[in-house]
Amino acid sequence: MYLHGTSKVNESGHLEIGGCDTVQLKEEYGTPLYIVDETLVRKRAREYMDAFRASGLKFQVAYASKAFSVTAMCALAEQEGLSLDVVSDGELYTALQAGFPTERIHFHGNNKTPNEIEMALDARIGCFVVDNLIELQMLQAMAGERNQQVNILLRVTPGVEAHTHEYISTGQTDSKFGFDIGNGAALEAIERAVKQPNLKLLGLHSHIGSQIFEVEGFQMAVERVAAFAKEVKSKLNVVFPVVNLGGGFGIRYFEGDTPLQVSQYVKAITDGVKLHFAGIAEELPEIWVEPGRSMVGEAGTTLYTVGAIKNIPGVRKYVSVDGGMTDNPRPALYDSKYEAMLANRANEATEETVSIAGKACESGDMLIWDLDLPQVESGDLLAVSCTGAYNYSMASNYNRIRRPAVVFVQNGESDLVVRRESNEDIVRNDIIPARMSKQTINS
Ligand SMILES: *Cc1c(COP(=O)(O)O)cnc(C)c1O
């Protein structure tokens, strides 16, 4: 297993993260347990901020909180000077509970409900990223009723789609998100948006994909958005003070993954903006980006306890852990690959190839196929790396399995940031209709 951030093998032969021995973390918090290397998250945040400062341009780095949205993470994002993307009332509520500065909150989503818009207007968030004409209309109507001025970006599809290693360049993108540049929908939306008395159009937003390992896709997107900004200026005499280029910066989950340095992604974007936006307006636009996965992904490790082991001679050895698709649905959903090691025997040589199974009643609940480990025994601790993004945030209660706790670790200290769910939590919202209650039946 590749050791990210502060992860290392300590003198006891145990995996240690943030100066905390994972065997002791198990004693204190139990398993499964999400462990977040706070030092690594802060390092990533600073890499983004420093790379933008070096560009000399105005910028905002908005952490896409859907990757891992909990109050402590919002607090950390605030401390590091980040902005925050939310895509639902739940993520907005989390940010507000954390006291996140509302002027640095951006609201995304292709189907914001009236209740969500109202909540965001109440909070006076910094910007709505408007996705479609129904939203534009609704936002104007609601803002107008309150006599409130609202900043918006328009989400456009520039016709660049990134699939990690390939780019699909299409005239008209087949996507549920945003206004298409190629078919004229984006231009028409801008014409409408600038006529809305309560909406202030700051600029355009584009997000081309996720887990991207090259700069070309971002360069293409900048070029196309800039070409479109030029067209908008000549046709409508509208200029934009902001351009948002989304997220999607890749991370290393597995051997074959080859992400670039944060500074390389940022430089490609800032250089592209300097090149292609020059001369469109008096000043270059402020650049916003929205990293999610790359901010937290590599900083997360999930710790499990090994339980049952089933050996099928000549076929496969299944090693079951006390979690699985309920705390990490990505292998089942996307066939994602993860690395892992025995955290309590981190120095021992690998001796056998096993497959890691989750505990849910579902054959597809497999975390890792064909993993080399020392001879595994029931009671061993398995650490799966790179689980910081889209794990806790995508966790479910399938089989009524309780969601794990989350701890932040740094400098030898651990802090609980999300309590482990209890069985009371599991039934908290359940209601037995009175006509079915035991009393009614018995009487
Ligand atoms: C998901 C998403 C992001 C974050 O993507 P990552 O791959 O996690 O960096 C940013 N912006 C938008 C609009 C998104 O939908």
Side-chain angles (χ1 to χ4, degrees), residues 64 66-67 85 108 155 205 207 209-211 246-249 290-294 390:
K66 70 181 182 194
D85 277 5
H108 272 278
R155 179 161 183 173
H205 170 280
H207 172 72
S210 210
Q211 186 62 347
F249 314 103
E290 310 173 314
R293 189 189 311 273
S294 58
Y390 306 110

Side-chain angles (χ1 to χ4, degrees), residues 63 65 68-76 94-95 98 392-393 406 408 417-418:
Y63 166 59
S65 72
F68 173 59
S69 169
V70 305
T71 50
M73 184 59 207
C74 293
L76 186 158
T94 303
Y392 176 76
S393 66
V406 185
F408 276 18
V417 304
V418 181

Side-chain angles (χ1 to χ4, degrees), residues 142-156:
M142 293 173 72
E145 212 159 276
R146 298 156 160 259
N147 222 349
Q148 199 171 327
Q149 285 295 311
V150 178
N151 291 327
I152 64 167
L153 295 181
L154 286 186
R155 179 161 183 173
V156 298

Side-chain angles (χ1 to χ4, degrees), residues 7-21:
S7 293
K8 63 172 197 180
V9 177
N10 67 16
E11 284 162 8
S12 324
H14 300 163
L15 174 64
E16 181 181 300
I17 309 172
C20 296
D21 188 315

